[in-house]
Amino acid sequence: MRTKLKSLPGGSVVDKTFRAGEKFARVRTEQKNMQYLYDSGDEVVFMDETTFEQLSLPHGDVEDELPFMQPSSSVQVMFVGGSPTGVELPSSVVLEVTDTEPGVKGDTVSNVSKPATLETGAVVQVPLFVNVGDRIKVDPREKRYISRA
């Protein structure tokens, strides 16, 4: 079986082939619900929702998810072997559009999109009818527009 494995501490990706029946050690993983508090520049701070303990992750580990997280939002932090490794966002988040070009009337027949900046700073492609101030539902994993909220 051919696989691509990612090193969790370093982030490097390696191609590896396993033979049928080959065994390897299990890795203990755990997910905890945590609240995103703030971004301090080089670290992102989270708080455990049950014990209220704070945890910091390096900015580079969550930079793909960060544009879709609002302060006080709930996320799942993945732990591998007891140490935090990354963040998993919900399947959709609702954010407000803060900047976009106005749509041209009568241009709704074609499937045309335009860039829109959201309240967290993320930029996604949206349909022409979306305006500034609209709340939209976004898929943070694929970084795409789903619908109006």
Side-chain angles (χ1 to χ4, degrees):
M1 174 171 284
R2 302 189 92 180
T3 61
K4 285 189 179 190
L5 304 174
K6 181 176 181 180
S7 170
L8 290 174
S12 61
V13 177
V14 178
D15 289 324
K16 178 101 170 129
T17 305
F18 293 100
R19 293 184 306 256
E22 190 171 347
K23 297 185 184 212
F24 47 92
R26 287 187 181 260
V27 177
R28 190 173 75 75
T29 62
E30 180 183 0
Q31 287 188 335
K32 287 185 181 179
N33 286 332
M34 300 193 95
Q35 186 179 48
Y36 165 58
L37 296 179
Y38 61 91
D39 179 10
S40 68
D42 56 342
E43 290 186 330
V44 181
V45 181
F46 298 91
M47 179 183 68
D48 191 323
E49 293 178 345
T50 55
T51 63
F52 305 109
E53 292 179 19
Q54 290 189 3
L55 164 79
S56 297
L57 285 174
H59 193 273
D61 289 356
V62 294
E63 65 186 344
D64 290 339
E65 294 88 359
L66 199 55
F68 297 98
M69 292 191 304
Q70 290 181 297
S72 301
S73 62
S74 182
V75 296
Q76 287 192 330
V77 176
M78 178 183 265
F79 290 81
V80 176
S83 61
T85 58
V87 173
E88 187 174 318
L89 296 176
S91 60
S92 67
V93 293
V94 176
L95 298 170
E96 184 175 333
V97 177
T98 57
D99 184 40
T100 188
E101 296 291 323
V104 178
K105 189 168 184 133
D107 224 354
T108 58
V109 175
S110 59
N111 192 10
V112 180
S113 61
K114 61 183 179 180
T117 305
L118 306 177
E119 61 185 301
T120 57
V123 177
V124 295
Q125 293 292 322
V126 297
L128 291 176
F129 58 80
V130 174
N131 295 312
V132 173
D134 289 351
R135 295 189 60 79
I136 62 171
K137 191 181 284 190
V138 179
D139 182 350
R141 292 176 278 204
E142 296 182 14
K143 299 172 179 54
R144 67 174 180 85
Y145 167 86
I146 298 174
S147 67
R148 280 186 176 167

